[in-house]
Amino acid sequence: MNFTRWSARLPGTQRRAAARTEQAVSTAPRGDGSVPAARAERPAATGEPLPPGAAVGVTGPDGIDELPVREVLDRIPALVALVHGTDHRIAYVNDAYAAAFGPRPVGEPARVALPELTELGLISLLDQVLRSSKPRTVKSRKAASGRSYTFTCTPVTLPLGGSAAGPEEGGGVLVFAADVTDHAEAAERLRTSERAQRETAVTLQKSLLPQELEQPDDLRIAATYQPGGTEAAVGGDWYDVITLGGGRTALVIGDVMGRGVRAAAVMGQLRTAVRAYARLDLPPHEVLQLLDGLATEIDPSQIATCVYAVHDPNEGSLVYASAGHLPILVRDEHGTIHRAEEPTGPPLGTGGWLHTSGSVPLGPGSTAVLYTDGLVERRSEDIDEGVASLERALSGATGTPQVVCDRLIRALGVTADHDDDVAVLVLQHPARAGGDAELFRNAALELLGGVEAAPRARAFATGVLASWRFSPELHDLGVLAASELVANSLQHGTPPMRLRLRRTDRRLIIEVTDGDDHLPRRRRAEPADEAGRGIAIVATIASNWGSRRTPGGGKAVWCEFALPK
């Protein structure tokens, strides 16, 4: 921009000849020999000087071009300052600038005479504009007065001196500051409101997650939840660990497709429902089927992805069903990574889909990872690449489940300002040896039926419990429970039948399976009844009992006794 020819213009105006303009510039008086005078004057057509405040301009026939630049600048409400040279000496400040920051002496360097620009960090910006000859803008800088301004620094050309050949020209910077205090305060109020809403959502989200994970006998488990950064709304990620009894454990992780308090509230309802359905000890696909219908009732506009898995130490596998969620990853005892593939179905809340269950091996020494998409999804890459990165990170992540969680978070580049929520659930089936292995024992007996089945079961239970060195009281209670469960199966079940005894470091588990899928229930037996007391006896002497249908048809009835600490 050439400041000597910068003036208000309307379409249709004409400029004076270039020669007259250069003559006017060369005859303008100077203030200090190096910059234009603060109030330059030039001869008019009549020979009279212009009024004070007039600046060099170019006129048109209608007089628009006669508007003096300085008079215009002095009257506008925006703050304007003009500096020149490498040390940015003041050439001009308008009345609005002087009213905001006080009068400024002409000719002084900006670092000394314009301390407000130094405080706002704009001196380096002036250097950039002068070097690059390109305008620069910084938005909403707050001055010491409490007012906020948006500064635009524009390069201009200034006359530095004249000769017969014409005037020399030098570089300057025009500083234009617009007062945006009202906008800045409104934006800050909006940010404050958003922060308050986010804090509310984070508090609700964390309060709905498990405050302390259940720790099953056969698994070591840890979980991590990290909300998105301050600029990201909190999502509906959740996880849970549910002890089903009989040594089995349910694991669940999910993600509500939404943000804020509403997503957290939906997440809390789904998590509560999962715990209720898990108590029914249903296969994973049936649990997801129930959740799908509930999600539709909670909010038809909300959908959620979810994985529900059940670990049975007797089977050495993880049986799972997925509703549109990312695959479970398992590292076996040899370090090989397995990805749980199909079956999977659409997200919860879509309705009209029959989910199915699958399984992935989880033997001793294995580690499994369940996670939400915030861990692996990036805008710059395909999500399959993120899952592959997680596989590589898992292959080298060793240590306790919590250590593995932390290492995966770091390896995938999740930081405090991450743009999405992240939930990670890590479970390990430890390989036990030595004295620790003595605390975890299994024994099973196939029952062929007939009158000899009950005596054989009692003899088997007596020998096994004696070898496990239980106290006489616990030994007798275990034998009694095994006898009653076998008798109940012989009377109401069908072959094949099996008695299984399992010991952990915390409990004794007795389980009987048969081919009939009719689940027993506890009832009150009348004094004259000859049957119906078996389950009542088991429920009275055991710490816990239950029953479930088995995948191949049939049922399992179990009870457990807590071991002395």
Side-chain angles (χ1 to χ4, degrees), residues 331 367 392-400 403-405 407-408 428:
R331 186 186 65 206
T367 299
R392 292 190 293 270
L394 177 60
S395 64
T398 59
T400 66
V403 170
V404 173
C405 273
R407 289 181 175 177
L408 294 180
Q428 292 178 344

Side-chain angles (χ1 to χ4, degrees), residues 17-216:
R20 181 169 180 176
T21 300
E22 292 177 359
Q23 178 184 1
V25 171
S26 64
T27 58
R30 311 188 54 74
D32 57 1
S34 61
V35 297
R39 296 187 178 275
E41 297 179 355
R42 67 172 177 80
T46 59
E48 296 296 329
L50 289 173
V56 178
V58 184
T59 61
D62 55 4
I64 295 298
D65 286 341
E66 292 287 358
L67 284 174
V69 172
R70 177 160 185 171
E71 183 176 335
V72 173
L73 296 180
D74 278 340
R75 292 182 180 180
I76 64 175
L79 282 57
V80 179
L82 179 65
V83 298
H84 74 96
T86 57
D87 54 355
H88 310 301
R89 294 181 177 274
I90 301 176
Y92 164 78
V93 295
N94 72 345
D95 295 342
Y97 195 105
F101 297 113
R104 295 293 183 262
V106 173
E108 293 293 326
R111 293 183 183 275
V112 177
L114 299 176
E116 60 278 359
L117 297 187
T118 303
E119 295 171 1
L120 296 172
L122 296 180
I123 298 300
S124 59
L125 186 69
L126 296 178
D127 295 335
Q128 294 176 20
V129 171
L130 199 60
R131 287 195 304 267
S132 65
S133 298
K134 295 181 180 180
R136 296 285 189 273
T137 298
V138 292
K139 296 182 178 180
S140 192
R141 293 288 177 91
K142 193 170 186 178
S145 62
R147 307 295 294 179
S148 296
Y149 301 91
T150 290
F151 289 85
T152 299
C153 299
T154 305
V156 297
T157 303
L158 295 172
L160 298 182
S163 65
E168 288 186 28
E169 292 188 337
V173 179
L174 180 70
V175 181
F176 184 91
D179 191 328
V180 294
T181 304
D182 292 342
H183 296 284
E185 291 177 350
E188 180 59 30
R189 288 193 297 269
L190 178 60
R191 286 192 293 269
T192 301
S193 175
E194 290 176 345
R195 282 195 297 268
Q197 292 181 10
R198 183 180 183 278
E199 290 172 1
T200 300
V202 169
T203 301
L204 177 61
Q205 177 93 356
K206 290 185 175 180
S207 67
L208 294 174
L209 290 173
Q211 303 305 302
E212 184 176 352
L213 286 179
E214 297 181 23
Q215 294 295 330

